[in-house]
Amino acid sequence: MKPALWQTAGFYALVAIIVLQAIFPFYYAILTSLEDGQALFEVNYLPKALNFANYQAMLSGGVFGKQILNSVFVASVVVILSLFLAITAAFALSRIHFRGRGLLLLTVLSVSMFPQIAVLSGLFEVIRYFGLFNSLWSLVFSYMIFTLPFTVWVLTTFMRNLPVEIEEAAIMDGASSFTIIRRVFLPLMWPAMVTTGLLAFIHAWNEFLFALTFLSTDSQRTVPVAIALISGRSEFEIPWGNIMAASVIVTLPLVALVLVFQRKIVSGLTAGAVKG
Amino acid sequence: MAKTEQRSRLSRSRTRSAWLFLAPMLVMLLIVAAWPLGRTIWFSFTDASLDLMSEARWVGFRNYLEYVDFGDGEGQYYGLLADPRWWRSVWNTILFAAVSVSFETVFGLIIALVLNQQFRGRAFVRAAVLIPWAIPTIVSAKMWAWMLHDQFGIINDMFMALGMISEPIAWTASPETAMVAVMMVDIWKTTPFMALLILAGLQMVPGDIYEAAKLDGVPAWRVFRRLTLPLIMPAVLVAVVFRALDALRVFDIVYVLTPNTDATRTMSVYARENLFDFDQFAYGSAASTLLFVVIALITITFIMATRMDLEGKRS
């Protein structure tokens, strides 16, 4: 039984609406970022201008470039550090039997439920104590609160599903646990590490509350805070063109990542969510 | 004999190395999560201020609720629980979470059902749907702030052209629509997440169920109500709880899209305001603590409920 013509048409209309609502705001941001001066204040649905003045204004100042580097630094170090801490922990949690293992895993997971605001005042004190206020390390450090539990969880589930045989030979040879992780598991873990690494990167790149609170000078800020704080001399002089240009610059790499690693990200998201 | 002894020595040394491997991760979580949480709760019972944290003194429940007797038989309640602005932000948060998550569930379900069909260009559609999720929250808030601009915004232009409104609306500035604007952005941004989780549930439904229903000539709507929906309900519930917990701590969107208005101030925004803008560190810590308690209670209830359900299924 073939579906009737109106059914097919209706289905594709629905598909069109879904695609349109998903991409239109980003499309419109690109369109706005290419307009300048008076053109900005006329509503256009199709691109009319191709003017890179806004991009020039953002990138020539130097501060925004520094802020992008700040974000790249923080996100990359967060990924490396959380993968390193998580992979050793995941090995212990998945391959070694010891008492309290299940409870420990549950505790680690429950940390990911913490609202960031609940640790904010305590963390502020810790960061001041270590002298990290207004340093990028304050973010690397504090972002562990959401990247670690997730990374540990996904890597543990992944490692648990690997067969016992693969490490038996190594144990017989008297290899140390660290060697086993490095030689036996690391080569097999790439898919899971890419997925969790990507998600940790995106999360760190987008984080706002800690970055807003723990950094105080312009040149130290990461891009979300930088964009949030772009303002004009008055409410009527907000440089929308510049804001949209900055938004496009920081979003394009993410959209590219998502499109390239679509499958990995989807599997990571669903793995992270079925934790309950 | 010797062999078992060797084995138990091996397992003992493996247990020791297990704790060694766990130590760095546990120490890190202790410093960034457990300790700060404890300190936040402690601060909420003190008179700490931003510059004098170390000299904080215990004041009991004063930040939460305190009855000040004026001496002539009259008095007044002070503290968080007596602050109408706090209760307004509690209400805002609950309203935001309930409405946004409901819409996200419905839209997410629709998108998941579409993506679960075989059709040309499906990979493209799935990639497009992911885009709002990939855009940083701050950027989406700014993008929408521009689209919702009262004079130059494209949304007003669109709605006017369609005859849905007769004059431009100041979406983010007017108290009546500010919450709607915030919800709109959140729904747009997080529906993809919902759709993906539900899609994962849909893909676990065995295909031959549909074949059988088709052969029996059961209408599509009834197949969905009677077969698909009950089967994917667990996945939908998990997604709803996740989103709800996330929505209850909402901060970024509100802070950027509609700063400083009673109409949208949520619990997180209220707490941060007091912590860092109003120099009421202890009071803000009390607000943070209450938000934590609410979320912890929901989480514990959820974990217990799902476990009971799991055991019920097994027996």
Side-chain angles (χ1 to χ4, degrees):
Chain A
M1 191 171 68
K2 280 191 77 174
L5 185 65
W6 69 267
Q7 278 176 320
T8 316
F11 180 76
Y12 275 99
L14 186 60
V15 169
I17 292 172
I18 290 172
V19 172
L20 206 65
Q21 62 86 24
I23 61 176
F24 186 79
F26 190 49
Y27 158 81
Y28 193 62
I30 297 175
L31 198 141
T32 306
S33 72
L34 294 172
E35 289 171 346
D36 194 28
Q38 212 44 46
L40 207 58
F41 301 113
E42 290 158 20
V43 176
N44 296 323
Y45 290 83
L46 295 170
K48 260 191 176 162
L50 198 68
N51 184 333
F52 288 94
N54 292 316
Y55 289 88
Q56 241 164 17
M58 281 315 293
L59 292 172
S60 63
V63 183
F64 190 64
K66 171 76 168 55
Q67 289 162 337
I68 293 176
L69 290 182
N70 291 344
S71 276
V72 171
F73 172 80
V74 169
S76 315
V77 179
V78 163
V79 169
I80 295 167
L81 190 59
S82 49
L83 278 181
F84 175 75
L85 291 176
I87 203 158
T88 48
F91 172 76
L93 285 168
S94 63
R95 312 301 292 197
I96 302 175
H97 289 278
F98 60 92
R99 276 178 53 173
R101 193 169 73 158
L103 191 67
L104 196 65
L105 196 57
L106 202 68
T107 314
V108 170
L109 265 184
S110 67
V111 171
S112 65
M113 291 295 159
F114 279 27
Q116 272 175 276
I117 197 86
V119 294
L120 196 64
S121 29
L123 208 49
F124 188 73
E125 190 195 31
V126 170
I127 277 162
R128 276 224 294 223
Y129 177 80
F130 286 120
L132 293 177
F133 185 71
N134 201 29
S135 149
L136 291 177
W137 288 100
S138 68
L139 298 190
V140 170
F141 183 61
S142 56
Y143 288 178
M144 290 297 133
I145 194 174
F146 49 76
T147 55
L148 256 190
F150 169 80
T151 320
V152 168
W153 172 258
V154 176
L155 293 187
T156 302
T157 352
F158 188 87
M159 259 190 183
R160 198 185 283 148
N161 293 335
L162 297 174
V164 196
E165 290 77 28
I166 60 164
E167 55 177 327
E168 258 173 3
I171 295 177
M172 287 304 156
D173 290 346
S176 72
S177 297
F178 202 72
T179 317
I180 295 177
I181 294 181
R182 221 163 44 105
R183 291 293 181 77
V184 180
F185 283 103
L186 220 47
L188 294 170
M189 298 287 292
W190 281 115
M193 284 172 67
V194 170
T195 305
T196 48
L198 268 172
L199 289 171
F201 188 92
I202 293 175
H203 210 146
W205 182 269
N206 295 353
E207 202 280 335
F208 181 66
L209 179 58
F210 287 166
L212 178 72
T213 309
F214 300 147
L215 302 174
S216 62
T217 52
D218 244 6
S219 61
Q220 289 298 91
R221 292 210 164 96
T222 53
V223 280
V225 183
I227 290 177
L229 296 183
I230 296 176
S231 58
R233 265 171 298 170
S234 74
E235 201 193 320
F236 304 102
E237 290 177 58
I238 298 175
W240 286 107
N242 290 359
I243 295 179
M244 289 305 134
S247 300
V248 172
I249 295 171
V250 307
T251 308
L252 270 184
L254 288 195
V255 170
L257 273 183
V258 167
L259 297 189
V260 174
F261 292 102
Q262 208 200 115
R263 273 174 197 288
K264 289 230 168 300
I265 287 177
V266 171
S267 71
L269 272 182
T270 39
V274 196
K275 42 185 159 189
Chain B
M1 252 329 243
K3 203 162 190 184
T4 50
E5 195 169 293
Q6 195 188 357
R7 177 157 286 190
S8 86
R9 202 154 27 133
L10 184 72
S11 96
R12 235 179 306 138
S13 98
R14 264 172 82 87
T15 308
R16 225 179 9 245
S17 67
W19 286 104
L20 206 67
F21 281 132
L22 284 168
M25 188 262 307
L26 290 177
V27 169
M28 185 58 98
L29 283 184
L30 214 63
I31 306 177
V32 298
W35 171 260
L37 178 69
R39 288 298 281 179
T40 301
I41 297 173
W42 153 255
F43 282 138
S44 77
F45 292 105
T46 67
D47 59 358
S49 72
L50 205 48
D51 300 314
L52 297 168
M53 270 184 221
S54 48
E55 288 160 42
R57 278 171 315 143
W58 178 266
V59 296
F61 281 90
R62 200 203 286 170
N63 292 314
Y64 293 94
L65 193 64
E66 184 196 29
Y67 185 76
V68 177
D69 200 335
F70 294 152
D72 48 0
E74 283 182 39
Q76 204 181 338
Y77 282 103
Y78 289 96
L80 196 58
L81 296 175
D83 183 356
R85 282 178 78 236
W86 163 253
W87 288 111
R88 179 71 203 264
S89 61
V90 172
W91 165 246
N92 284 342
T93 312
I94 294 172
L95 183 73
F96 167 82
V99 175
S100 312
V101 175
S102 309
F103 275 99
E104 282 155 28
T105 313
V106 175
F107 291 154
L109 188 59
I110 293 173
I111 293 177
L113 285 171
V114 167
L115 286 178
N116 200 35
Q117 304 293 317
Q118 298 287 347
F119 64 93
R120 282 180 59 176
R122 186 171 69 154
F124 168 75
V125 176
R126 196 175 49 191
V129 163
L130 265 177
I131 286 178
W133 175 82
I135 294 178
T137 312
I138 300 306
V139 170
S140 6
K142 283 288 179 194
M143 275 169 19
W144 280 87
W146 171 239
M147 297 205 313
L148 292 167
H149 197 279
D150 51 350
Q151 293 170 59
F152 317 116
I154 196 166
I155 301 278
N156 275 339
D157 189 79
M158 236 182 248
F159 282 5
M160 300 251 284
L162 294 172
M164 286 161 77
I165 52 174
S166 54
E167 54 190 59
I169 295 178
W171 290 98
T172 54
S174 91
E176 295 89 55
T177 51
M179 188 50 111
V180 177
V182 171
M183 287 170 176
M184 219 145 77
V185 180
D186 189 71
I187 293 167
W188 176 77
K189 165 130 183 74
T190 40
T191 295
F193 177 75
M194 207 67 147
L196 287 182
L197 291 196
I198 298 176
L199 182 63
L202 272 175
Q203 281 168 346
M204 286 199 275
V205 178
D208 38 358
I209 289 185
Y210 296 117
E211 291 299 317
K214 214 177 198 174
L215 281 181
D216 293 343
V218 185
W221 170 245
R222 279 193 53 200
V223 174
F224 175 72
R225 278 268 330 258
R226 295 292 171 82
L227 269 177
T228 319
L229 203 54
L231 282 170
I232 60 168
M233 217 44 195
V236 175
L237 270 182
V238 169
V240 166
V241 171
F242 264 74
R243 269 303 304 147
L245 288 174
D246 217 28
L248 286 173
R249 46 193 177 190
V250 61
F251 176 82
D252 310 16
I253 291 189
V254 179
Y255 187 88
V256 172
L257 197 64
T258 58
N260 291 321
T261 145
D262 282 337
T264 58
R265 183 179 294 104
T266 58
M267 287 194 263
S268 288
V269 177
Y270 179 95
R272 193 186 181 280
E273 229 171 51
N274 279 289
L275 283 173
F276 296 102
D277 300 338
F278 301 163
D279 196 18
Q280 303 215 52
F281 199 72
Y283 192 73
S285 298
S288 311
T289 305
L290 276 190
L291 176 60
F292 173 76
V293 170
V294 170
I295 288 185
L297 283 179
I298 297 177
T299 313
I300 292 168
T301 318
F302 172 67
I303 288 176
M304 289 192 1
T306 46
R307 182 173 293 169
M308 272 177 233
D309 191 36
L310 279 179
E311 277 165 6
K313 263 183 206 157
R314 266 187 218 130
S315 63

